Amino acid sequence: MAFPYRNDYRKTLLPYLNSLQEESWFKTSPTYPNNLAWVLSHIATSEDFWINEVALQQKLVLTLDKNSSPFEILKAYQDIRIHTDGILNNLTDQQFNQLIEVPKFSDGWIPPSPPTFNWVFHHIYSHEAYHIGQIGIIAHFNGFPKPLF
């Protein structure tokens, strides 16, 4: 199985997020402008974008917006991974190496290696790990408990 450790940090993160009060999800500090709701929404919607719209050239499946509740955000975060895992577990070796077309971004960003299905999965999992690190920073700056990673 490819990416066997892709969900390991969720074993700590999900119970942590479920333990937070709603106000913690939206709290910001002068030091760091984003909040937990934004970070988790960003992780989920980015995974949706890269897997569904870019790699599969299908419609997005999530419907999060700036008014989504912590419950809706957490559910979307979990639902998109179930969806992604289903796709990942059904790809053949040949499909993993298949090139995908990525959009042109206004800042000029291009993938650092040929964009294949394998690359896009690596991209979403490393993107998620990066942003999960921000959750600890946000918690620290806002004075509430940090996840125990």
Side-chain angles (χ1 to χ4, degrees):
M1 172 186 284
F3 307 101
Y5 305 106
R6 70 191 174 282
N7 293 317
D8 282 0
Y9 32 76
R10 288 172 175 241
K11 294 172 188 171
T12 300
L13 184 62
L14 291 171
Y16 168 76
L17 293 170
N18 278 310
S19 75
L20 292 176
Q21 299 296 317
E22 185 168 346
E23 62 270 7
S24 296
W25 281 74
F26 298 102
K27 194 170 182 185
T28 60
S29 75
T31 310
Y32 192 78
N34 291 330
N35 59 44
L36 295 179
W38 182 90
V39 170
L40 214 62
S41 292
H42 175 69
I43 293 168
T45 58
S46 294
E47 185 168 327
D48 189 15
F49 169 75
W50 281 103
I51 295 299
N52 292 304
E53 191 169 306
V54 175
L56 299 175
Q57 298 181 346
Q58 297 177 356
K59 290 184 178 184
L60 299 174
V61 297
L62 299 181
T63 58
L64 293 175
D65 62 32
K66 64 180 181 161
N67 298 316
S68 296
S69 71
F71 174 80
E72 292 167 322
I73 295 166
L74 190 55
K75 183 172 181 351
Y77 176 70
Q78 293 171 297
D79 288 350
I80 195 62
R81 183 51 54 89
I82 292 167
H83 177 78
T84 299
D85 281 351
I87 294 163
L88 175 67
N89 292 329
N90 287 303
L91 287 177
T92 66
D93 288 342
Q94 183 180 11
Q95 289 170 310
F96 258 103
N97 295 317
Q98 179 183 328
L99 287 172
I100 60 172
E101 187 175 333
V102 298
K104 304 276 188 244
F105 292 95
S106 61
D107 64 0
W109 180 88
I110 57 170
S113 59
T116 61
F117 275 90
N118 186 58
W119 174 86
V120 82
F121 284 102
H122 176 77
H123 179 69
I124 63 166
Y125 300 138
S126 60
H127 175 262
E128 179 180 25
Y130 169 81
H131 284 295
I132 285 175
Q134 290 178 322
I135 291 172
I137 293 168
I138 291 168
H140 174 75
F141 285 153
N142 287 296
F144 51 88
K146 298 182 278 275
L148 299 175
F149 297 120

